[in-house]
Amino acid sequence: LELAVLCAWMLVRWARVNPVERAGRRDVEAEAAIGGSVWSGLKPVAASPFLLASAGYVVLATVGQGFLYLQQAKLIELASDDPAARTALFATIDLVVNASTLALQLAVTGRVLKRLGITVGLAITPVLTGLGYTYLAIDPAVRVVALFQGALRAAQRAFLRPSRELLFTQVTREE
């Protein structure tokens, strides 16, 4: 936390020394608002196989994560009546997820995406989801759902999110 505060303080100092006006003139056309409504984005998605596949991927991943979260909440509620114990378990899962994500992003993510490509980065999470749900069907226990949830969330943050962000480099600003 102290390191984050230090970084924020350093950024504020840098911004004061380097105001936006000195950063160079930006292209006004590139900065202009695109316009339209929320619904106007559906037409390009429906017309583009790339965007349709991307949107479908995000919807399926979100639905899968939602089911897992509900299963986790149910199993943890059945496992303990003590709210403090449940909170401690959720906190432990979050700690493991965050530590795993940091380690993966520092040591693995860049190498996987450079050597194996975005396709592998996007495929890691669905493979983990399939394996996790299979294991959860065989053994519906708190430890299984905690392990599954931790591994899936770490993979999403370490591989899925960077891979998905790279997909946006393939479309125009309007898409």
Side-chain angles (χ1 to χ4, degrees):
L1 183 60
E2 290 176 23
L3 186 58
V5 171
L6 176 64
C7 288
W9 177 74
M10 290 171 62
L11 284 170
V12 168
R13 283 188 58 204
W14 179 85
R16 286 183 185 148
V17 173
N18 301 298
V20 175
E21 292 81 30
R22 285 195 208 158
R25 191 172 158 220
R26 295 183 180 191
D27 185 23
V28 175
E29 187 176 309
E31 295 293 323
I34 295 173
S37 69
V38 173
W39 302 110
S40 64
L42 292 178
K43 186 177 179 185
V45 170
S48 167
F50 179 79
L51 292 176
L52 193 59
S54 297
Y57 182 89
V58 169
V59 167
L60 290 173
T62 302
V63 168
Q65 184 67 23
F67 283 130
L68 177 60
Y69 180 79
L70 294 173
Q71 185 66 29
Q72 171 186 306
K74 179 181 174 185
L75 287 173
I76 290 176
E77 183 180 353
L78 293 173
S80 175
D81 291 334
D82 182 20
R86 290 193 301 248
T87 301
L89 181 57
F90 282 121
T92 302
I93 292 171
D94 285 343
L95 177 65
V96 170
V97 166
N98 291 332
S100 301
T101 300
L102 179 63
L104 286 169
Q105 285 183 341
L106 289 174
V108 181
T109 302
R111 291 183 176 107
V112 166
L113 293 179
K114 280 182 187 174
R115 289 189 184 146
L116 303 176
I118 296 173
T119 304
V120 171
L122 291 170
I124 289 172
T125 303
V127 168
L128 274 177
T129 301
L131 293 172
Y133 275 121
T134 301
Y135 190 33
L136 194 57
I138 294 168
D139 186 13
V142 172
R143 63 180 162 64
V144 174
V145 78
L147 176 67
F148 179 24
Q149 179 79 288
L152 185 61
R153 285 174 47 202
Q156 285 174 331
R157 289 170 175 87
F159 299 108
L160 175 62
R161 192 170 290 158
S163 298
R164 197 175 60 212
E165 296 298 324
L166 287 170
L167 290 176
F168 289 115
T169 63
Q170 302 298 314
V171 296
T172 65
R173 186 168 175 239
E174 288 78 24
E175 292 177 313

